């Protein structure tokens, strides 16, 4: 009678590329959502413009450029991020969209990003735009782009990036 050897396979969850452009660029925010600190790559996408209301989102803009980070996350981590963040700041309306992301080194990578199709015209919550500005500065995004983000600060909070 043949003997069978059972090998326990260790399932490693595949990571996917995700482009973040709002407060999720902040490593502090990601850590607060249970994502371990790791290196994220500064990157950009074309054909969109960043707008910030109650949340950050992207709108179609033929010659627009949006800077952000390219992250490798598992589906479990993505679910964790969006479920945790949804309960704290209301991300329920975001939907995944495929995009082509260009890294600083010029490599083009297929990625997902999350966009809110219905933009709420409301003021950002306190400290939200500042988190995005802080991340933009730490990743070395161009001054013109940081100035674009500053436009979403309440008038009394505007400062030079």
């Amino acid at each position: 009678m043949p003997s069978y050897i059972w090998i326990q396979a260790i399932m490693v969850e595949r990571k996917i590329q995700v482009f973040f452009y709002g407060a999720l660029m902040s490593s502090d925010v990601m850590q607060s959502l249970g994502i371990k600190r790791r290196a994220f790559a500064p990157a950009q996408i074309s054909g969109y413009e960043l707008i910030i209301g109650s949340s950050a989102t992207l709108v179609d803009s033929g010659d627009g450029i949006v800077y952000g980070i390219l992250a490798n996350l598992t589906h479990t981590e993505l679910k964790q991020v969006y479920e945790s963040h949804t309960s704290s700041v209301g991300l329920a309306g975001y939907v995944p969209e495929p995009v082509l992301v260009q890294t600083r080194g010029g490599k083009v990578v297929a990625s997902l990003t999350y966009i809110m199709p219905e933009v709420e015209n409301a003021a950002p919550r306190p400290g939200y735009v500042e988190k995005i500005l802080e991340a933009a500065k730490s990743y070395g995004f161009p001054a013109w782009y940081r100035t674009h983000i500053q436009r979403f600060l309440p008038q009394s909070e505007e400062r030079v990036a």
Side-chain angles (χ1 to χ4, degrees):
M1 182 189 288
S3 62
Y4 293 93
I5 301 173
W6 293 95
I7 300 173
Q8 183 179 7
I10 299 173
M11 294 293 291
V12 177
E13 196 173 0
R14 188 172 69 88
K15 292 187 177 184
I16 58 170
Q17 301 280 342
V18 184
F19 179 77
F20 293 117
Y21 52 85
L24 292 175
M25 292 187 297
S26 166
S27 59
D28 291 341
V29 171
M30 291 296 260
Q31 277 192 296
S32 75
L33 298 173
I35 304 302
K36 292 180 183 175
R37 190 175 292 271
R38 62 184 84 156
F40 297 123
Q44 68 185 54
I45 60 174
S46 298
Y48 293 94
E49 181 180 341
L50 173 72
I51 60 169
I52 304 172
S54 58
S55 295
T57 195
L58 304 179
V59 294
D60 287 328
S61 174
D63 59 353
I65 295 174
V66 174
Y67 287 86
I69 60 168
L70 190 59
N72 279 326
L73 298 178
T74 65
H75 286 283
T76 300
E77 288 174 320
L78 274 174
K79 183 178 177 185
Q80 179 179 330
V81 164
Y82 279 90
E83 283 180 356
S84 297
H85 216 44
T86 295
S87 64
S88 64
V89 297
L91 294 182
Y94 281 86
V95 295
E97 293 284 337
V99 291
L100 293 176
V101 177
Q102 184 175 0
T103 66
R104 277 212 177 126
K107 183 177 177 184
V108 176
V109 178
S111 173
L112 283 180
T113 195
Y114 286 77
I115 297 174
M116 186 172 288
E118 305 264 335
V119 180
E120 187 178 318
N121 189 14
R125 63 192 171 281
Y128 182 67
V129 176
E130 291 83 354
K131 276 277 186 219
I132 298 170
L133 269 173
E134 182 181 304
K137 187 173 183 179
S138 74
Y139 285 108
F141 297 164
W144 71 263
Y145 191 72
R146 295 192 315 266
T147 299
H148 172 72
I149 295 169
Q150 280 183 327
R151 292 186 359 207
F152 298 100
L153 285 169
Q155 295 295 351
S156 61
E157 297 179 36
E158 282 191 28
R159 59 189 160 113
V160 177

